[in-house]
Amino acid sequence: MSGVIARRAMIVLLLLVPAVAQAQGVLVVVNPDEAVRLPRPIIIWPPHRPAPPPQPPASYKIKALDVQARLVDQVAQVQVSQSFVNTGSRQLEVSFIFPLPYDGAIESMTLMVDGKEFPARLLNAEEARRLYEEIVRKNRDPALLEWMGTGLFRTSVFPVPPGQERTVALRYSQLLRKQEGLTDFLFPLSTAKYTSHPVEEVNFRVTIESQEPIKNVYSPTHEVSIKRPDNRHATVSYKAEKEIPSADFRLLYDVGQGKVSTRVISYRPESDEDGYFLLLASPEIKASDDEPAKKTVLFVLDRSGSMSGKKIEQARAAAKFLVENLRQGDLFNMIAYDSAVEAFRPELQRYDSKSRQAALGFVEGIYAGGSTNINEAMTTALGQLQDSSRPSYVLFLSDGLPTTGVTSEAQIVANARKANQVRARTFCFGVGYDVNSRLLDKLARDSNGYTEYVRPDEDIEDRVSRLYRRIESPVMTDVEIAFELDEEESSVKPVNRLYPKQPFDLFAGDQLVVVGRYKKSGAAKVTVRGSVSGESQKFDFSARLVKHSDDQGNAFIEKLWAIRHVGEIIDELDLNGRNEELVQELVQLSTRHGILTPYTSFLADENVNLHDTAANAASARSRLSLLEDNISGQAGFEQRAYKGSLQRADRFSGMGGYPASGPALSAEGLVNSVHDPAAAPGQSAGGAGVQAGQRVGTGRVSGPGSSAPGMPGQPGQGMYGSSPADAAETERSAAVAAVQQIGSKTFFRRNNQWVDSTVTEKQQQNVRRVKQFSDDYFALARRHGRDLAQYLAMDDPVMVNIEGEAWLIEP
C-alpha cells in the first residue's frame, strides 16, 4: 500500500456508553481504499479450521480499561479511561465515536484524548445506521451489526503512530433505568473483545449513595466485591487482568426501609410457556452497636490418622478462628473424632472469655491418629442441640471414609436425621479426594445445608472461615417464600420449581438469589415468612409477573434457572438413583441451553443428532454411571464439587451460559471422571461445562472461566491425550469449536454451520436462505433489531429460529 493510502487509514472508536445493550463501542478501521476487519484476539483454533491470518498492518489492542462510577439516587456520574496501542505497522488516523442510549438519558459529556478536550457531532439513529451498514458492507465484517439502532457522537480526527499509546477519557452524567424498584446500571464491557490481545487490566469501581437504606446489591454478570460501610453507602468493585471480556457489566440495586427487602423481576419469552422469575432478598444492614441474634455453633473436626501433618495444623487453625469469632451469648462446642469421639465439654457452652480460653486450649491438644467414626461424631454433636428457637449450625469436617462404628452410608444419614431434633443446618467440608462425597452431600442436603469441597492444595482454615463469615449473623431463619396472584385459582400454584429449595436462612450482609417458574402473569403479593430472634414474622411485598417479554434484557433469568435446575437434577440422580424422566429432562435442558455437564457433553460432538432424543438420553444414562461408580476418590470429589457449584450459581460470565465463577473440573479430575467404558460406540465420555459467549472466528471468546474443560474428543480417539493437561487442552479446543452462547440462544456447530438449538427438524426442512451482506440481510437486521442482529454478527453460516421460521444466513 502506498504511503498516501497508509496515512489515510482511519480508525473509528465507538466508546462504551452504559445505558442499554446497544450502546457499545469498538475500534473500526475506515479506509476508502481497502477493507479492514475488526481485530480479533489470538484464540484456540480447532484442527479442522484454517489458521487465523497474520496481524494486518492496521491493528490495535486495548491496554487498560478503567471505569469509575458514582450512583446517587438513580443518577450516574461516570468516568471512563481507555488506553489503546497501535500494534500495526503504520500510523492510524482515528476518530472517537460513541452511540447514544435509546432513551437519550445522557445529560452531559466530556471527551478527552491524552488530556485534550475534543468537540463532538451528534448523528441521529438513521445516520448512525447508515454509517454502520456502510462499514459492514465495505469491510465484509458483520460484527458492527450488534450496535445498530442508536444515534451517536463523533469527534475530530487525531493520529496514533505505530507502537504508540493513546488514552481516551469520557465523563458523563446519566439517568439510570429502573424496573420493579431496582435501579439498573449497565456498562457494555464485552466491546473490549475486539482487540488484538487480551486487555491487560480491567478495573471497575462503582459507589452507591442513597437517602434511604440500600438493600439488595446484585450483579448477575460478574463476581464483584461489595463493601458496605453503613446502610446508605456501598462500594462495588471488579478487577481482572489479561482478560478478553465477553460479558457486559451489570449492577442492580434497590433502597427502602424494613428488616428484609424483596424485589422480583420476571422474563417470559413465550406467552404460552411458563415464565421465569428472579427474587432478590436482603436483610437490613445492622449498625455496629446493634445486638446480633444469638446462635449455636458446633465444630466437628476429623482427627483421624489421615489428617496428620499440614491438614491437622490447618484444621486446628480453623477451629481457633471459629472460637475467636463467636459472640457473647452464642452457644458452642468443639468435637474431635477418630475411632473415638471427644467433646470439649459434655454439653453446650455459653461463649465468654473463660469458655473461649478453655476451648482454645482444647484445640491445641488435638492431634491426628486412629480411624474415622463419622456416625458417632454426628450423633454426638446433634444430640447436644435441644433449643429449636435458636439458629443452630453444625460445621462437619472429614477427610476420609467411615471406617469404624456404623459404616453404612444410609444408616449414618438416618441416624443423623433422627438426632437432629432442632432443624440444625449441617455444612460439610470434604477435605481431599478420599472422602465419601456422596455421604457428605446426603448429610448436608438432609438438613438444608451444603458441602464445601477443599482440594489438597487449598487451605482448610480459609474455606472454613469464609463460610463462617457468611453465616455468623443470622437475621431470619427457616425462611419460606409464597406468591399470591390476584384472582388466583385455588387449584393452580402460581410459582413452581424454586431454587434454592426452602426453607433457608438469611444472614446479615447476605444476598439471597431465588429463581423459579411461574404459570400465571399479573400483579402478585410475595410473602416472606421466617423466624426473627425466635419469633415468627412475615413480610409482604408487591411484584409483577410479566405476560410477555418484548426484549432480552432479563434473559439471564432463564439461563440462571436452567443452570440451577440442572444442578438439582444431577443431585436427585446422585442421591436417589436413576429416574428416566429426569434423565430426559437433563438432556433437553443441556440441548436447549448448552449446559454441557460430564453426562451430556457428547452433544458437542458434531456427529450427534440434537433431535435424536432417545439416543441422546441413552448416552446420558450410560455416563450417569460415573456418579454411581465414583462415591469417593478424585472423580467423585470433582463431580460433586461441580454439581454444588451449579446448584448455588447466581451469576454469569455473559448473557446466557455458566456462572461467572465457572464451575469446572480440574484437568486430572476431569480425565478420571470422563473415562466411561460404557460410552456409546464411536463416542468419548464428556467433561464439564463451557463458558458463555464463545464465537469461533468472530473474536468473541470467554472470560477467565473459559478454561473450564467441557467437550469430548473426536470420535474414535478414546482418551484425550498422554497427560491430564493434554486432555483438558484438547477438550477446551473442541468446546470452542462446537458450542456457543449468544444472547438468549445456544448454537451448536453442525455441518459447518451454527444451528440454533430451538430450530426443529420440520423448520430445517423449510429453511429460508439469505446471503450475508445482501440487501435482504440488512433488511432482516433492521426489521428485527438487535434481538436478531446479534445472531447475524458471525462470519460462519448460521441457522436461527425467527418467529417460528428457520433462516440460514450464508456467506
Side-chain angles (χ1 to χ4, degrees), residues 461-706:
E461 179 190 1
D462 176 67
R463 295 295 293 275
V464 172
S465 62
R466 272 192 284 166
L467 174 66
Y468 181 74
R469 284 298 189 198
R470 177 176 173 265
I471 68 172
E472 66 179 333
S473 298
V475 173
M476 193 175 193
T477 59
D478 293 322
V479 177
E480 293 189 335
I481 296 173
F483 280 70
E484 296 178 22
L485 287 173
D486 293 347
E487 302 178 1
E488 177 191 334
E489 299 177 15
S490 58
S491 61
V492 178
K493 291 185 66 175
V495 300
N496 57 82
R497 290 170 286 181
L498 275 68
Y499 305 117
K501 292 185 176 180
Q502 306 178 67
F504 41 74
D505 293 353
L506 270 176
F507 303 95
D510 198 18
Q511 176 66 74
L512 178 67
V513 180
V514 179
V515 291
R517 304 290 303 269
Y518 65 91
K519 289 185 175 297
K520 297 183 63 179
S521 59
K525 182 177 76 172
V526 181
T527 301
V528 179
R529 291 184 175 86
S531 178
V532 178
S533 299
E535 297 183 2
S536 179
Q537 294 193 25
K538 75 169 186 173
F539 306 93
D540 293 333
F541 305 90
S542 61
R544 184 177 64 92
L545 302 176
V546 299
K547 185 175 183 179
H548 180 261
S549 298
D550 296 325
D551 58 45
Q552 298 179 12
N554 292 329
F556 73 92
I557 301 173
E558 178 182 359
K559 295 293 186 179
L560 178 54
W561 179 87
I563 288 288
R564 287 195 181 178
H565 191 44
V566 165
E568 289 293 331
I569 289 174
I570 296 172
D571 193 47
E572 285 286 343
L573 292 168
D574 181 21
L575 304 187
N576 298 320
R578 292 292 181 89
N579 181 304
E580 189 58 33
E581 290 184 359
L582 289 180
V583 173
Q584 292 179 1
E585 189 173 10
L586 175 63
V587 173
Q588 291 169 358
L589 285 167
S590 297
T591 304
R592 181 181 179 89
H593 299 287
I595 305 171
L596 303 182
T597 69
Y599 324 106
T600 58
S601 60
F602 58 86
L603 293 169
D605 187 335
E606 294 189 29
N607 298 309
V608 170
N609 182 354
L610 298 176
H611 302 295
D612 193 344
T613 54
N616 294 339
S619 295
R621 200 179 306 115
S622 70
R623 284 154 177 75
L624 284 164
S625 62
L626 297 172
L627 282 171
E628 300 173 10
D629 298 340
N630 298 304
I631 295 173
S632 63
Q634 183 176 352
F637 177 105
E638 298 279 8
Q639 290 178 82
R640 290 177 178 88
Y642 171 80
K643 173 187 70 176
S645 66
L646 294 179
Q647 292 175 286
R648 299 192 295 275
D650 59 6
R651 59 181 57 87
F652 297 93
S653 64
M655 185 64 73
Y658 284 79
S661 54
L665 305 183
S666 71
E668 185 177 355
L670 172 72
V671 174
N672 290 340
S673 67
V674 300
H675 180 55
D676 179 12
Q683 295 180 346
S684 303
V690 183
Q691 291 285 356
Q694 296 179 338
R695 290 184 178 179
V696 176
T698 64
R700 175 167 299 194
V701 297
S702 294
S706 63

Side-chain angles (χ1 to χ4, degrees), residues 124-305:
N124 62 32
E126 183 62 24
E127 291 175 308
R129 182 191 62 77
R130 285 198 295 267
L131 175 63
Y132 285 138
E133 287 194 16
E134 177 186 333
I135 297 172
V136 169
R137 287 178 188 269
K138 180 180 180 300
N139 293 344
R140 310 287 292 179
D141 188 347
L144 279 180
L145 287 182
E146 293 187 61
W147 301 294
M148 289 179 63
T150 65
L152 56 83
F153 279 92
R154 177 157 61 178
T155 69
S156 54
V157 176
F158 57 93
V160 185
Q164 294 296 301
E165 177 180 338
R166 289 290 183 268
T167 299
V168 181
L170 170 68
R171 292 193 299 271
Y172 62 88
S173 297
Q174 177 189 8
L175 180 66
L176 299 175
R177 289 168 49 175
K178 201 168 188 177
Q179 62 166 328
E180 308 302 335
L182 287 163
T183 301
D184 191 350
F185 175 72
L186 177 65
F187 190 98
L189 176 63
S190 62
T191 324
K193 64 181 171 281
Y194 294 110
T195 174
S196 62
H197 297 77
V199 181
E200 294 182 16
E201 183 178 353
V202 177
N203 180 56
F204 273 82
R205 186 176 186 272
V206 182
T207 60
I208 306 172
E209 303 172 29
S210 174
Q211 303 279 336
E212 293 187 81
I214 299 169
K215 294 295 186 179
N216 295 289
V217 180
Y218 168 65
S219 172
T221 56
H222 289 76
E223 195 166 5
V224 297
S225 170
I226 302 173
K227 294 182 179 179
R228 299 178 184 239
D230 55 53
N231 64 358
R232 285 175 169 79
H233 294 83
T235 300
V236 181
S237 57
Y238 170 76
K239 292 185 177 181
E241 296 180 352
K242 305 293 184 183
E243 178 181 80
I244 302 169
S246 65
D248 296 338
F249 180 91
R250 193 173 185 184
L251 185 68
L252 305 170
Y253 74 93
D254 71 338
V255 299
Q257 302 288 339
K259 286 185 177 294
V260 177
S261 174
T262 297
R263 299 291 181 183
V264 175
I265 53 177
S266 56
Y267 176 68
R268 195 172 195 172
E270 304 294 338
S271 301
D272 57 349
E273 296 181 6
D274 285 6
Y276 304 84
F277 73 86
L278 176 141
L279 181 149
L280 300 175
S282 180
E284 66 180 350
I285 306 300
K286 291 181 174 292
S288 57
D289 55 352
D290 286 349
E291 185 177 359
K294 305 295 188 295
K295 63 183 180 298
T296 299
V297 178
L298 282 161
F299 187 38
V300 185
L301 187 155
D302 188 343
R303 64 176 185 190
S304 61

Side-chain angles (χ1 to χ4, degrees), residues 217-411:
V217 180
Y218 168 65
S219 172
T221 56
H222 289 76
E223 195 166 5
V224 297
S225 170
I226 302 173
K227 294 182 179 179
R228 299 178 184 239
D230 55 53
N231 64 358
R232 285 175 169 79
H233 294 83
T235 300
V236 181
S237 57
Y238 170 76
K239 292 185 177 181
E241 296 180 352
K242 305 293 184 183
E243 178 181 80
I244 302 169
S246 65
D248 296 338
F249 180 91
R250 193 173 185 184
L251 185 68
L252 305 170
Y253 74 93
D254 71 338
V255 299
Q257 302 288 339
K259 286 185 177 294
V260 177
S261 174
T262 297
R263 299 291 181 183
V264 175
I265 53 177
S266 56
Y267 176 68
R268 195 172 195 172
E270 304 294 338
S271 301
D272 57 349
E273 296 181 6
D274 285 6
Y276 304 84
F277 73 86
L278 176 141
L279 181 149
L280 300 175
S282 180
E284 66 180 350
I285 306 300
K286 291 181 174 292
S288 57
D289 55 352
D290 286 349
E291 185 177 359
K294 305 295 188 295
K295 63 183 180 298
T296 299
V297 178
L298 282 161
F299 187 38
V300 185
L301 187 155
D302 188 343
R303 64 176 185 190
S304 61
S306 57
M307 286 287 294
S308 60
K310 187 176 181 180
K311 284 197 287 187
I312 197 65
E313 293 174 6
Q314 292 181 351
R316 280 198 296 262
K320 290 178 184 177
F321 174 88
L322 293 179
V323 172
E324 296 280 11
N325 285 277
L326 292 167
R327 294 193 170 108
Q328 293 289 332
D330 286 345
L331 297 178
F332 79 104
N333 208 345
M334 315 289 290
I335 294 175
Y337 70 97
D338 48 31
S339 308
V341 176
E342 180 183 4
F344 161 56
R345 293 289 187 264
E347 58 187 18
L348 295 174
Q349 299 295 293
R350 190 166 301 277
Y351 185 74
D352 54 29
S353 59
K354 183 178 179 180
S355 61
R356 169 183 168 276
Q357 284 301 118
L360 290 174
F362 174 79
V363 172
E364 282 292 347
I366 295 175
Y367 59 90
S371 302
T372 306
N373 194 339
I374 289 177
N375 179 75
E376 188 177 347
M378 285 296 297
T379 54
T380 299
L382 292 166
Q384 293 192 355
L385 303 174
Q386 305 296 326
D387 187 355
S388 59
S389 67
R390 296 170 62 99
S392 299
Y393 305 101
V394 178
L395 278 65
F396 177 80
L397 186 149
S398 174
D399 83 327
L401 308 173
T403 56
T404 190
V406 177
T407 58
S408 164
E409 184 180 299
Q411 191 60 52

Side-chain angles (χ1 to χ4, degrees), residues 32-108:
D33 299 307
E34 88 176 316
V36 182
R37 294 164 54 84
L38 295 180
R40 266 69 163 176
I42 298 173
I43 60 176
I44 300 171
W45 287 73
H48 64 281
R49 300 288 306 282
Q55 282 295 349
S59 184
Y60 67 88
K61 72 174 181 180
I62 300 172
K63 184 176 181 181
L65 180 62
D66 182 84
V67 180
Q68 304 287 324
R70 181 172 178 245
L71 314 184
V72 183
D73 297 328
Q74 207 179 333
V75 175
Q77 295 175 321
V78 184
Q79 177 171 301
V80 182
S81 177
Q82 182 172 353
S83 299
F84 60 94
V85 178
N86 181 353
T87 57
S89 59
R90 67 192 186 196
Q91 177 166 296
L92 302 173
E93 300 297 325
V94 302
S95 178
F96 200 59
I97 295 183
F98 54 90
L100 279 178
Y102 75 93
D103 55 7
I106 289 181
E107 297 177 2
S108 62

